Amino acid sequence: MTQMMKAAVLHALKTPLSIEQVPIPEPGHGDILIKVTACGVCHSDLHAVEGDWTPPPVIPLIPGHEVAGKVAKIGPGVTGFKLGDEVGVPWMYSSCGQCEFCLAGMETICKQGEATGYTKPGGYAEYMVAPAAFVGRLPAGTDPYAMAPILCAGVTTYRGLKRTGARPGQWVVILGIGGLGHIAVQYAKAMGLRVAAVDVSPEKLELAKSLGAEVTVNGAEGDAVAAIQEKIGGAHAAVVTAVASKAFEQAILMLRPAGTVAYIGLPGGKSDEIRTSISAITNWELTIRGSNVGTRLDLNEAVAFAANGVVKAKIRTAALEDINGIFDDMRKGKIVGRVVLKFS
Ligand code: NAD
Ligand code: ZN
Ligand code: ZN
């Protein structure tokens, strides 16, 4: 008899997920089956549900790409894992391993890459399958609920900060203090950077301050660019995780000469465009870089910070059945930190 599991499934874009019994997947060659302990709810999952991005997700879809769990079954050809090992599954489900980007250690931009919870079933389920070669190893005994957000929010902001090239002692402005941003503040502090935080919610700015941001600016009140230029003389670096195109425009103008901004947020849809000043970029030699999740090496490093307790996601746990309400809260910007689905 086929063994069944509980999962949250998207059957059509812009509709609620339905909680269903579906077959437990079988690990194929090179795969492991993971019993999911925790899965963070990333805004990318909401973008998937809303169909904000092109191409849209593969439907029916089980979303979820901030997975912490344990190895439950090992597929043929897998070495180096044993039952019960603590593992994590990130957005990067797989890459081809052969193209110029994979060969250069830039597997996150492989054009043949698959995405967990977007093109492949993800972690809003009691079990999921993932290729062993792309699964992250979590140190035994770490808190799986606090660790789950590191699999996307953590690794992504860690890489984004590195891609700005900011050095200890320099200023970084982080725009958007949501699930990603509040973790970005912590990585930035751990890297010795000075942090300015911008959000449109006073509660989120309070959180940023409690995590070590020296300067906070409410982007909904007054001129946020002028405030940053005035308070810190412009930032050496910026990281944008906000889900609003305006923040991407502002970030460029918040830089000092020679500054670099890393774009992480993906508002998508009608908000996928910005207007900017060519002369500001040219005259001040500014750099704008994209940053797409993180490589397997980035993941190992990002996990190490969290395992050492230097970076810790602020979480609230919830049941899988709560997912549609969590998405509503996310649409309204009401989530402070990260919500993590808890499986028994
Ligand atoms: P979230 O909803 O938890 O946080 C978004 C934050 O942006 C909120 O705190 C909100 O108040 C803030 N915000 C909204 N408008 C703003 C404005 N005008 N100025 C400043 N802040 C503003 O979302 P999240 O899970 O942190 O994800 C953020 C974005 O990053 C999403 O678009 C997501 O898809 C994207 N993402 C990208 C990658 C990548 O690899 N590039 C990885 C993960 C997530
Ligand atoms: Zn994510
Ligand atoms: Zn490739």
Side-chain angles (χ1 to χ4, degrees), residues 229-256:
Q229 288 294 350
E230 201 171 294
K231 288 181 189 216
I232 65 172
H236 299 89
V239 168
V240 192
T241 72
V243 191
S245 55
K246 184 177 168 200
F248 292 76
E249 295 175 352
Q250 290 171 326
I252 296 170
L253 303 177
M254 287 176 178
L255 295 172
R256 296 186 184 202

Side-chain angles (χ1 to χ4, degrees), residues 43-44 47 53 152 178-180 199 204 241 264-266 291 293 338:
H43 205 116
S44 297
H47 289 305
W53 302 337
C152 180
L180 264 65
D199 202 289
K204 291 172 187 178
T241 72
I264 288 179
L266 288 158
S291 197
V293 292
R338 196 56 127 195

